[in-house]
Amino acid sequence: MSSLSATIQDVFNEPGCGKNANKSEAERKKGCTKQLQPGGAAGGCAFDGAKIALQPLTDVAHLVHGPIACEGNSWDNRGAKSSGSNLWRTGFTTDINETDVVFGGEKRLFKSIREIIEKYDPPAIFVYQTCVPAMIGDDIDAVCKAAREKFNKPVIPINSPGFVGPKNLGNKLAGEALLQHVIGTEEPEYTTPYDLNIIGEYNLSGELWQVKPLLDELGIRIMACISGDGKYKEVASSHRAKAAMMVCSKAMINVARKMEERYGIPFFEGSFYGIEDSSDSLREIARMLIERGAPAELMDRTEALIAREEAKAWTAIAKYKPRFEGKKVLLITGGVKSWSVVAALQEAGLELVGTSVKKSTKEDKERIKELMGQDAHMIEDMTPREMYKMLKDARADIMLSGGRSQFIALKASMPWLDINQERHHAYMGYVGMVKLVEEIDKALYNPVWAQVRKPAPWETAGENWQSRAMAQAEAEAAALAADPVKAEEARRAKKICNCKSVELGVIEDAILANNLSTVEGVREKTNASGGCGACAVRIEEILAQMVSASHAMAAE
């Protein structure tokens, strides 16, 4: 586990990470050497994150070393697509049992690797470490090395047992495994000045295929997509690309930065959601490739393609704009989608009443303010009741979210559209933008909503469960408005860190009592941000607000 600890330390000290950008070297080390605590895997464990990041590599056998439940819970839980091999959708697990816990599971792991090679002969096998074999001391690095020498086949250890941290850490540990064992291990058959890596794109619902034809038309070759619809050999030879586009920096910034450091491959963070963002990304790709040796006429061809595709997209969505006039959207998502989808919705003529930022970085929030204005309604953590009330009060006409929130919209008898990884439609690029608009229109004007909003024949007005729920919520809001003491108690009782169940009031009291100024200090005194870390940005904002308030009081 010592090498794993060193890898985790290196990942947390990643200089390309937004949280670390403004820290000194001493602060980075101080924050990263703190021991992980129970609850750190709340919301998804490191193993789950590693599997999510790598499973879209389509021709690789993904072998989970652990109890069968680990593979069962992680298998096929995202809608990635493949244009070739479907081996990645076959679930392989060593299915260790009580006997293996006592005597060790290394022999079972070696036997499983041999069986996969004999039956499927994949170009590589990825072996995922999980909690139980990590705790009993199974050395998957040694087993993978022995298998690699025995069978002359790449057998890659993915050291990301669930207990080391949250899903996002697992994403980065998966990237570290690629950097250590895969990238740079093979040479491509040929190279061109137009070779591009796309990093952090998973081809959900086939979204990559909505952009690839545009790149093909420009002569730009996707040398490797890490990892959507990716192939092992492509990733292994991706160090010869001329430039890279980072789609999700929260997941794989370490891969992009270290490839730039080791192989001189420059990268930028872009988005293919929305018309203008797609055009901006294509321009930036062309600019970087020209700087790296592609002919200057690539930019002229890129601008011509952009003009044509933008005209087609604007024409296709023009007929929907009158239907969307005055329609309001509640966007419940996080990360990069919190701003990239905002841009797309605004282009369609829809009004955003709010967007969640629970998993968004400080940079994501700044992008939202650029798009929606400085007074943008950014929702940190909206409760189901608050979502329901917003929809029922007609402050939003449709909700876009992941599957877990759909039932709130359905209970409110309001349209809902899935934009999370489980979705069945692709919304990337120009054609994806048109598809998104079409699906929103279908949801908004589906006649079923008029039917389900009608009271049942046996119901009395104001007596159904929806009316009672709204009346209860309004009564609670009125009571708080009439009692400042209760309102303050409710404000202070708001959960900031769900993993550790730390309330706002506890954090504020600790900041005041100990004169705290950093997230690390708050974590030390309250345990807040000691789990998945998603609340760290919120704690930074609380610190900034309290500093600002103290300065204002001093000025008075």
Side-chain angles (χ1 to χ4, degrees):
M1 292 296 290
S2 59
S3 61
L4 176 58
S5 299
T7 302
I8 293 172
Q9 177 76 18
D10 184 49
V11 164
F12 275 123
N13 287 338
E14 170 58 51
C17 171
K19 287 183 183 178
N20 282 337
N22 298 320
K23 289 182 181 179
S24 68
E25 185 69 20
E27 285 177 321
R28 283 205 295 271
K29 289 184 176 179
K30 181 181 177 183
C32 299
T33 53
K34 186 173 178 67
Q35 291 295 312
L36 291 160
Q37 302 174 26
C45 69
F47 157 69
D48 187 37
K51 192 85 180 300
I52 284 171
L54 297 181
Q55 188 158 5
L57 290 172
T58 60
D59 59 351
V60 171
H62 300 271
L63 172 61
V64 176
H65 182 43
I68 196 168
C70 290
E71 169 63 352
N73 291 338
S74 65
W75 176 80
D76 206 29
N77 61 358
R78 291 166 71 88
K81 301 291 183 183
S82 170
S83 60
S85 172
N86 278 313
L87 181 63
W88 65 288
R89 295 194 69 243
T90 301
F92 297 105
T93 176
T94 53
D95 185 21
I96 64 172
N97 54 35
E98 292 88 345
T99 302
D100 299 311
V101 172
V102 176
F103 296 104
E106 293 178 356
K107 288 184 178 179
R108 181 186 284 262
L109 174 58
F110 188 88
K111 181 181 177 182
S112 299
I113 293 169
R114 181 177 62 196
E115 185 175 344
I116 290 171
I117 292 172
E118 290 173 350
K119 289 187 176 182
Y120 298 93
D121 192 30
I125 299 173
F126 284 8
V127 177
Y128 298 82
Q129 180 76 295
T130 59
C131 293
V132 174
M135 288 189 288
I136 64 176
D138 280 3
D139 189 347
I140 70 166
D141 291 78
V143 176
C144 289
K145 181 181 179 182
R148 185 162 55 247
E149 294 172 352
K150 172 74 173 178
F151 305 113
N152 194 28
K153 180 84 65 176
V155 183
I156 313 301
I158 315 295
N159 273 300
S160 58
F163 61 75
V164 301
K167 185 188 299 183
N168 182 244
L169 175 59
N171 296 153
K172 291 181 171 63
L173 291 175
E176 290 296 318
L178 294 182
L179 288 162
Q180 184 178 353
H181 299 289
V182 182
I183 295 170
T185 58
E186 296 193 24
E187 292 296 328
E189 295 178 3
Y190 65 94
T191 60
T192 77
Y194 302 94
D195 292 342
L196 174 76
N197 289 335
I198 298 182
I199 301 171
E201 163 55 38
Y202 303 115
N203 197 33
L204 301 178
S205 302
E207 285 187 327
L208 178 65
W209 302 335
Q210 294 179 314
V211 176
K212 189 175 183 298
L214 303 178
L215 299 175
D216 289 343
E217 183 177 337
L218 294 171
I220 297 171
R221 177 172 71 149
I222 300 178
M223 193 159 202
C225 183
I226 304 174
S227 58
D229 196 23
K231 315 290 189 298
Y232 178 79
K233 184 174 177 59
E234 294 172 352
V235 177
S237 58
S238 61
H239 62 301
R240 297 304 183 194
K242 297 297 188 290
M245 175 178 173
M246 165 61 62
V247 176
C248 183
S249 63
K250 193 172 176 66
M252 285 198 170
I253 182 67
N254 55 323
V255 175
R257 188 194 63 78
K258 288 184 178 179
M259 289 186 74
E260 181 177 43
E261 184 181 90
R262 296 177 186 179
Y263 309 112
I265 305 173
F267 73 94
F268 76 101
E269 183 178 3
S271 167
F272 282 118
Y273 285 111
I275 295 172
E276 291 185 5
D277 280 356
S278 295
S279 298
D280 289 344
S281 293
L282 288 173
R283 288 189 183 99
E284 187 62 14
I285 289 170
R287 184 192 67 78
M288 293 182 75
L289 289 174
I290 290 169
E291 285 185 354
R292 297 277 288 159
E297 54 84 29
L298 174 61
M299 187 60 77
D300 296 330
R301 292 192 290 113
T302 300
E303 290 294 349
L305 180 143
I306 287 171
R308 185 194 73 204
E309 293 299 320
E310 281 192 353
K312 286 165 58 177
W314 288 120
T315 300
I317 68 175
K319 62 182 179 182
Y320 295 101
K321 285 196 171 184
R323 293 166 64 81
F324 289 167
E325 190 172 348
K327 298 296 184 184
K328 300 174 183 178
V329 179
L330 175 62
L331 181 62
I332 303 296
T333 181
V336 69
K337 287 203 292 287
S338 61
W339 60 263
S340 59
V341 175
V342 165
L345 295 173
Q346 288 179 329
E347 288 171 347
L350 291 155
E351 180 183 344
L352 269 291
V353 297
T355 178
S356 64
V357 290
K358 186 175 180 181
K359 297 180 180 179
S360 301
T361 64
K362 193 177 293 184
E363 291 75 18
D364 292 332
K365 292 182 179 182
E366 289 304 316
R367 294 290 293 270
I368 292 168
K369 288 179 181 178
E370 289 176 16
L371 294 164
M372 297 176 63
Q374 291 300 311
D375 297 327
H377 186 191
M378 293 186 287
I379 302 160
E380 290 293 342
D381 192 12
M382 181 176 275
T383 65
R385 176 176 285 185
E386 289 169 337
M387 288 186 209
Y388 178 84
K389 190 173 188 305
M390 179 173 275
L391 292 168
K392 288 300 288 183
D393 285 348
R395 283 187 279 165
D397 298 289
I398 184 171
M399 184 165 78
L400 275 60
S401 71
R404 286 181 291 182
S405 305
Q406 66 175 302
F407 302 105
I408 298 165
L410 298 178
K411 285 181 178 180
S413 303
M414 298 296 289
W416 169 81
L417 185 66
D418 189 359
I419 60 164
N420 217 8
Q421 64 261 22
E422 302 91 354
R423 63 185 180 272
H424 298 289
H425 299 288
Y427 301 135
M428 190 177 282
Y430 303 103
V431 293
M433 174 65 188
V434 175
K435 186 65 178 176
L436 175 62
V437 170
E438 288 176 355
E439 292 303 315
I440 291 174
D441 183 77
K442 286 179 187 177
L444 277 170
Y445 290 97
N446 192 318
V448 71
W449 304 117
Q451 296 295 320
V452 298
R453 288 170 189 155
K454 291 179 180 178
W458 57 85
E459 287 182 344
T460 304
E463 291 297 321
N464 60 14
W465 69 267
Q466 291 176 319
S467 299
R468 290 194 296 271
M470 286 296 291
Q472 183 181 351
E474 289 167 0
E476 291 175 0
L480 290 177
D483 190 337
V485 175
K486 283 188 176 180
E488 177 63 8
E489 289 175 355
R491 186 192 71 82
R492 286 173 53 83
K494 186 174 181 62
K495 285 281 195 304
I496 299 300
C497 178
N498 289 307
C499 299
K500 302 297 182 179
S501 193
V502 183
E503 298 171 348
L504 174 60
V506 174
I507 293 172
E508 289 179 338
D509 291 344
I511 292 170
L512 289 172
N514 301 281
N515 195 27
L516 303 177
S517 60
T518 65
V519 174
E520 289 76 15
V522 172
R523 185 187 302 132
E524 186 176 334
K525 296 296 183 181
T526 68
N527 247 355
S529 188
C532 71
C535 60
V537 175
R538 180 73 181 108
I539 294 171
E540 288 176 355
E541 291 173 349
I542 294 168
L543 285 162
Q545 289 165 3
M546 294 188 70
V547 168
S548 177
S550 65
H551 288 169
M553 289 176 66
E556 292 176 359

